[in-house]
């Protein structure tokens, strides 16, 4: 029997009206899941197998793909199951684990993009010092910090949510979110709100400002140099800028949905955008805009096809 203030199960109510189209939605989500898995795994394999791509810029692209797989696996398998099942319950511990995975995925996207912006900043603004600054040891430390800081910040926020007594167990979501659970609280959530604001500043706004600062510095340097220099700088920075703008818009949409009541169709689209669009878009952006990756993907696919031919 469930305790009223600490329900063991949450129920995701946005699946209730999907019964007539559940198999269509299941098929679409499954195809999307397979696309995300295959495209990001391909990027990771190419960068891992090719020693020529063992450079900071490409390693960070691989980190972005690993994070895409991490976020997709935190959401889509459960969603596929919920689309087929008649009950859409999730245990409290599983719900909080999903929140941790989804929120750290979102934060890691920003921190990895921050490292990519710093890498491009050093490469363009300090080209002679690039190899002495962006060493393997430095990159490893930066990646470790980029992973541990969001984990600690978000983990502390979720631990406070876990302790809240709740007056309900229905979440108007397709997946678990921290704000949805906090809204069910029977007590004041001032501390949760304060910690949530601090966590957002640390994991979203600080990386955001650093990325903007880096690209402004790059823009200033480009204005002082030749058109050929500008063209090369734009070629290396454009994929990162596209990824950054796309993800920033997606996160903004998620924030809007989590705080305001919206029609169900709009709510579903906005709530899923930051979890689905970047993992699909990122491999396309980097696979097609970096000739080194594009060429090696074609070589890998061609060699695989030849080896499978009788």
């Amino acid at each position: 029997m469930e305790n009223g203030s600490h329900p063991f199960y949450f129920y995701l109510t946005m699946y209730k009206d999907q019964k007539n189209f559940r198999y269509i939605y299941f098929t679409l989500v499954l195809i999307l899941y397979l696309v995300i898995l295959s495209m990001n795994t391909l990027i990771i394999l190419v960068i891992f197998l090719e020693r020529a791509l063992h450079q900071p810029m490409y390693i960070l692209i691989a980190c972005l793909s690993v994070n895409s797989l991490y976020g997709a696996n935190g959401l889509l398998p459960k969603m596929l199951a919920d689309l087929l099942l008649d009950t859409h319950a999730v245990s409290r511990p599983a719900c909080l684990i999903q929140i941790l995975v989804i929120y750290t995925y979102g934060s890691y996207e920003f921190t990895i993009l921050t490292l990519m912006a710093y890498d491009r900043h050093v490469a363009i603004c300090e080209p002679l010092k690039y190899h002495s600054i962006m060493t393997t040891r430095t990159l490893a430390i930066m990646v470790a910090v980029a992973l541990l800081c969001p984990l600690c910040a978000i983990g502390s926020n979720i631990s406070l949510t876990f302790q809240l007594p709740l007056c309900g167990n229905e979440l108007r979501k397709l997946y678990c979110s921290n704000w949805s659970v906090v809204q069910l609280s029977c007590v004041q959530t001032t501390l949760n709100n304060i910690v949530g604001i601090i966590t957002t500043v640390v994991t979203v706004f600080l990386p955001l400002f650093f990325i903007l600062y880096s690209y402004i510095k790059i823009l200033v340097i480009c204005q002082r140099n030749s058109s050929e220099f500008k063209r090369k700088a734009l070629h290396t920075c454009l994929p990162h800028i596209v990824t950054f703008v796309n993800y920033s818009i997606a996160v903004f949409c998620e924030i809007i949905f989590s705080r305001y009541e919206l029609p169900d169709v709009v709510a579903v689209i906005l709530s899923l955008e930051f979890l689905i669009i970047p993992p699909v878009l990122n491999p396309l952006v980097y696979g097609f805009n970096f000739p080194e990756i594009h060429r090696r993907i074609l070589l890998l696919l061609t060699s695989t096809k030849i080896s499978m031919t009788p």
Side-chain angles (χ1 to χ4, degrees), residues 54-308:
H54 293 180
Q55 301 174 33
M57 178 173 64
Y58 299 112
I59 292 172
L60 291 173
I61 291 173
C63 288
L64 210 57
S65 287
V66 170
N67 190 50
S68 294
L69 295 178
Y70 171 67
N73 284 304
L75 170 71
L76 296 180
K78 178 66 170 67
M79 181 178 291
L80 288 169
D82 283 328
L83 286 168
L84 292 181
L85 297 174
D86 292 323
T87 58
H88 310 111
V90 55
S91 68
R92 187 183 177 105
C95 186
L96 294 175
I97 290 172
Q98 187 180 56
I99 292 172
L100 179 65
V101 171
I102 290 175
Y103 280 48
T104 49
Y105 152 78
S107 180
Y108 291 158
E109 195 84 1
F110 267 123
T111 53
I112 294 170
L113 288 172
T114 301
L115 297 185
M116 296 173 84
Y118 177 71
D119 175 74
R120 291 301 84 202
H121 174 267
V122 175
I124 294 172
C125 300
E126 301 283 349
L128 299 179
K129 299 180 181 179
Y130 179 78
H131 293 291
S132 62
I133 295 175
M134 295 300 294
T135 62
T136 302
R137 182 174 181 274
T138 300
L139 182 62
I141 293 172
M142 290 195 302
V143 171
V145 171
L147 297 179
L148 289 175
C149 285
L151 180 62
C152 293
I154 293 168
S156 63
N157 197 8
I158 294 174
S159 67
L160 291 175
T161 302
F162 182 77
Q163 299 172 40
L164 288 174
L166 306 178
C167 290
N169 62 353
E170 292 190 349
L171 305 177
R172 184 178 170 265
K173 294 282 287 184
L174 292 172
Y175 56 87
C176 294
S177 74
N178 192 61
W179 179 246
S180 298
V181 175
V182 170
Q183 284 182 307
L184 299 176
S185 174
C186 302
V187 299
Q188 289 291 329
T189 58
T190 304
L191 179 60
N192 295 73
N193 294 336
I194 292 173
V195 173
I197 291 171
I198 294 172
T199 300
T200 303
V201 169
V202 170
T203 61
V204 176
F205 289 106
L206 286 182
L208 180 67
F209 289 139
F210 184 85
I211 291 169
L212 291 174
Y213 170 78
S214 296
Y215 283 122
I216 289 172
K217 290 283 288 184
I218 290 172
L219 184 62
V220 170
I221 292 294
C222 286
Q223 291 300 317
R224 299 173 182 172
N225 285 274
S226 65
S227 58
E228 179 65 16
F229 182 91
K230 293 177 185 177
R231 187 187 66 78
K232 291 181 178 179
L234 179 63
H235 175 73
T236 59
C237 290
L238 185 59
H240 307 130
I241 295 172
V242 170
T243 304
F244 167 64
V245 171
N246 166 69
Y247 190 69
S248 298
I249 293 172
V251 169
F252 175 76
C253 291
E254 165 59 13
I255 293 173
I256 292 295
F257 168 61
S258 66
R259 300 286 172 169
Y260 299 100
E261 291 292 327
L262 297 170
D264 284 351
V265 175
V266 177
V268 168
I269 294 172
L270 296 186
S271 67
L272 293 178
E273 185 183 2
F274 93 109
L275 288 160
I276 289 178
I277 301 301
V280 174
L281 182 64
N282 292 350
L284 293 175
V285 169
Y286 295 110
F288 285 105
N289 283 277
F290 283 84
E292 295 83 358
I293 296 178
H294 189 198
R295 182 169 58 253
R296 284 172 172 81
I297 287 175
L298 293 177
L299 287 173
L300 180 63
L301 293 176
T302 303
S303 62
T304 303
K305 183 178 180 180
I306 292 173
S307 64
M308 293 176 65

Side-chain angles (χ1 to χ4, degrees), residues 21-78:
F21 303 98
R22 65 164 69 181
Y23 296 112
I24 296 174
Y25 294 149
F26 176 85
T27 303
L28 292 175
V29 173
L30 179 60
I31 292 172
L32 184 65
Y33 184 39
L34 295 175
V35 167
I36 290 173
L37 290 180
S38 59
M39 292 173 64
N40 285 282
T41 301
L42 185 60
I43 293 289
I44 295 167
L45 279 175
V46 166
I47 293 174
F48 177 77
L49 294 174
E50 294 292 337
R51 293 186 62 85
L53 300 180
H54 293 180
Q55 301 174 33
M57 178 173 64
Y58 299 112
I59 292 172
L60 291 173
I61 291 173
C63 288
L64 210 57
S65 287
V66 170
N67 190 50
S68 294
L69 295 178
Y70 171 67
N73 284 304
L75 170 71
L76 296 180
K78 178 66 170 67

